Amino acid sequence: MSLAPRDAAAATAPTRSGQSAPPAHVAIIMDGNRRWAEARGLPIPLGHKAGAEAVRRTIEACVEQGVGWLTLFAFSSENWLRPAEEVRALTGLLRLYLRSEVATLAKEGIRLRVIGDRSRFGDETMREIARAESVTAHGTRLNLTVALSYGGRAEIVAAARAIAEAARDGRLDPASLDEAGFGRRLFTADMPDPDLIIRTSGEQRLSNFLLWQAAYAEFVFQEVLWPDYDAEALADALREFGRRERRYGARTG
């Protein structure tokens, strides 16, 4: 399976069966773990644990559907403001997932990358992240990116700061800067922009996720809570994407 980024025309070209090709890059705002647990009278950490199982199902479904890039919004920069007990449960689950799943990801040909301010998780977790990225670096079936301690505004500010410093030091002519040059300073520098952004649990907002990269993405909002997400839910979103006409700002008709 080729995972090279596709151009705009290829992203919507019909397949041999007459169906639209799957989006090259799907990004998902995984929402609803807390509500799922509360609706069942369960502790919040069990909702996050159930959400981790949904991640496994979604990765498998993306491979089956021919999606080459999957980005999951797992922990936002604002999530640090949640109750300390919940944050500890989330970070503990993250370390457990990295330790228990990395061998399977490598075996299945899935490359894992993490974007965001990983330094906030501490040395132990940073080592686990680096190990997981190294072990899975040669995967070609699916590019899996997990956004951790990530915020779109902070990402843009960091890129702007790097550009300003380069201009100050004489390493960059500001007049030469274009959108592509700016994009190369983002966490997602070597990734295609998302074609489809999905948000679960019925909420309809980006919540500071991939603000720059979402310029021409299609959005699908689904009522399903994240722990209940499965292959059929993903297929529903992909079918909706297939019905969209993508213009990339060009006029038609």
Side-chain angles (χ1 to χ4, degrees), residues 57-98:
R57 294 193 297 269
T58 303
I59 290 172
E60 293 172 0
C62 281
V63 171
E64 287 293 319
Q65 291 281 359
V67 174
W69 299 76
L70 172 64
T71 298
L72 302 175
F73 198 11
F75 193 95
S76 74
S77 51
E78 292 81 12
N79 284 160
W80 292 106
L81 301 175
R82 290 187 177 185
E85 181 180 356
E86 184 177 354
V87 171
R88 282 195 297 271
L90 277 167
T91 54
L93 183 62
L94 167 63
R95 287 192 296 272
L96 177 63
Y97 185 87
L98 289 169

Side-chain angles (χ1 to χ4, degrees), residues 103-124:
T104 300
L105 293 177
K107 181 180 178 181
E108 296 297 323
I110 298 168
R111 181 182 181 183
L112 173 66
R113 284 181 282 192
V114 171
I115 59 173
D117 183 10
R118 64 181 69 184
S119 66
R120 293 195 66 177
F121 289 98
D123 292 342
E124 180 183 359

Side-chain angles (χ1 to χ4, degrees), residues 2 8 18 27 32 35 37 45 61 82 93 111 114 132 139-140 144 148 161 164 174 212 220 226 230 235:
S2 173
R35 273 172 281 173
R82 290 187 177 185
L93 183 62
R111 181 182 181 183
V114 171
T140 58
L144 171 64
L148 295 171
R161 185 181 299 116
W212 174 276
V220 171
W226 178 250
D230 58 14

Side-chain angles (χ1 to χ4, degrees), residues 17 90 99 157 171 174 177 232:
S17 65
L90 277 167
R99 292 166 183 163
V157 168
R171 294 181 283 111
L177 183 67
E232 184 54 37

Side-chain angles (χ1 to χ4, degrees), residues 13-22:
T15 62
R16 292 179 183 176
S17 65
Q19 299 296 316
S20 294

Side-chain angles (χ1 to χ4, degrees), residues 115-206:
I115 59 173
D117 183 10
R118 64 181 69 184
S119 66
R120 293 195 66 177
F121 289 98
D123 292 342
E124 180 183 359
T125 302
M126 284 197 296
R127 285 193 296 270
E128 294 288 347
I129 291 171
R131 184 182 73 87
E133 289 178 326
S134 176
V135 169
T136 64
H138 300 293
T140 58
R141 293 184 72 201
L142 177 70
N143 284 283
L144 171 64
T145 302
V146 180
L148 295 171
S149 191
Y150 172 87
R153 287 182 173 181
E155 178 185 28
I156 292 169
V157 168
R161 185 181 299 116
I163 290 167
E165 291 172 352
R168 180 197 62 197
D169 298 339
R171 294 181 283 111
L172 174 70
D173 176 6
S176 70
L177 183 67
D178 56 13
E179 291 183 9
F182 190 92
R184 286 192 292 271
R185 290 166 172 83
L186 298 173
F187 291 133
T188 56
D190 60 345
M191 297 167 54
D193 287 343
D195 300 294
L196 169 63
I197 295 179
I198 298 168
R199 181 164 187 155
T200 62
S201 86
E203 302 293 345
Q204 299 186 18
R205 55 182 178 273
L206 269 179

